[in-house]
Amino acid sequence: MKVSELSRRTGVQVPLIKYYLREGMLPPGRATAANQADYGEDHVRRLRLIRTLIGTRGLSAGATKEILDAITAGEEDLHQVLGIVLGVRPAKGAESAPAKDAEPVPEKGAESVSAPDPDEGRDSDGRRDPGAGGSDAATEGLAEAHSLIGAMGWDVSPGNPATRTVAEVLAALDHLGAGTDWRSLLPYARLADDMAELDLRQLDGRGDPLAQAERAVLVTVLLEPALLALRRLAQEDKSSRLFGGGHADGADEA
């Protein structure tokens, strides 16, 4: 197909396709004349993957190019490709120094020894004593996040942004006096562990690298909104059964 047809098939404008070609993110087509080339289904798939990584996942052009380079080179280490997709492994040439608030992750099954004790300065009910002083809420949240990771025995990188997200949520819950600490998240962590197992079993290593990368983006990125939506549906159902007399508001009674 000509570049105009490639644009129509993928929804990517011709100038942007030419940019991807110049940057080496999209392989050149088969030359048919001095300024013309034909493109195939691999180009369609590659363009869709590029737009998903940049537009949906929010990766930079550099990180996207690194994934595509790994695919082109026949990269067999899917763990490394997943690391870029998940935002754990930076693109080559990116800042390699750890973030200023990065903390080492404890060894499997062990509590963090570098972060402060998350129970230090709490009263008998587990609430943070405002007069206890000590580390700030961010550090306290990181300590609890590391304790959760250690209790689950997870092997994760220090730069995984999800650790910071868990830390911020735990710190906010503590500030609100919700009576929630990292142990309260253990049941959710176990469910997440089961979901991750299901996700990664779908990436069985078979097929060409491009197909595997597409599948990785599908199960790690595009499926997330559906998982949240399913949780909301299940929450309404359980709320209806527990608190609403067995039927949702507005539903017709039998």
Side-chain angles (χ1 to χ4, degrees):
M1 71 190 81
K2 303 301 182 185
V3 68
S4 57
E5 174 67 8
L6 181 62
S7 174
R8 187 190 68 79
R9 289 273 306 275
T10 61
V12 180
Q13 295 182 354
V14 171
L16 196 52
I17 293 176
K18 292 182 177 180
Y19 167 77
Y20 294 146
L21 287 166
R22 288 196 305 271
E23 294 299 311
M25 300 169 70
L26 191 67
R30 182 177 61 86
T32 57
N35 295 314
Q36 292 186 357
D38 278 342
Y39 302 91
E41 292 301 319
D42 282 349
H43 291 89
V44 173
R45 292 169 61 193
R46 179 68 67 95
L47 268 176
R48 288 173 176 166
L49 180 58
I50 290 171
R51 297 311 299 155
T52 300
L53 290 170
I54 293 177
T56 303
R57 176 62 182 85
L59 293 181
S60 67
T64 300
K65 187 175 186 303
E66 187 180 353
I67 292 177
L68 298 172
D69 287 346
I71 294 169
T72 302
E75 174 67 71
E76 296 181 358
D77 191 348
L78 188 57
H79 177 62
Q80 297 301 319
V81 175
L82 275 171
I84 306 171
V85 174
L86 296 173
V88 176
R89 177 186 172 204
K92 292 177 181 177
E95 196 70 34
S96 59
K100 63 181 181 179
D101 53 8
E103 295 280 349
V105 176
E107 295 180 3
K108 291 185 178 182
E111 300 261 339
S112 172
V113 294
S114 58
D117 180 357
D119 291 327
E120 182 181 353
R122 296 181 183 274
D123 60 23
S124 58
D125 294 326
R127 293 279 298 278
R128 176 66 59 183
D129 181 358
S135 57
D136 60 18
T139 303
E140 294 161 6
L142 273 174
E144 294 216 349
H146 290 162
S147 295
L148 176 62
I149 292 169
M152 289 298 300
W154 283 341
D155 182 11
V156 299
S157 68
N160 193 320
T163 302
R164 171 61 59 181
T165 300
V166 172
E168 290 173 349
V169 170
L170 286 168
L173 289 170
D174 182 71
H175 178 71
L176 293 172
T180 301
D181 64 5
W182 67 269
R183 298 171 186 84
S184 303
L185 294 188
L186 276 173
Y188 294 95
R190 295 185 184 108
L191 290 172
D193 194 79
D194 289 340
M195 283 195 297
E197 184 77 19
L198 180 61
D199 286 342
L200 276 298
R201 285 192 182 280
Q202 298 182 60
L203 307 177
D204 56 13
R206 293 194 297 269
D208 63 89
L210 182 58
Q212 284 295 305
E214 290 175 334
R215 190 66 178 170
V217 171
L218 172 66
V219 301
T220 61
V221 178
L222 298 185
L223 201 58
E224 286 184 349
L227 294 176
L228 180 58
L230 289 171
R231 185 187 182 201
R232 292 289 182 262
L233 291 169
Q235 286 173 333
E236 181 185 2
D237 172 72
K238 298 305 178 285
S239 174
S240 171
R241 296 173 188 274
L242 292 172
F243 311 121
H247 60 85
D249 291 342
D252 293 334
E253 295 191 25

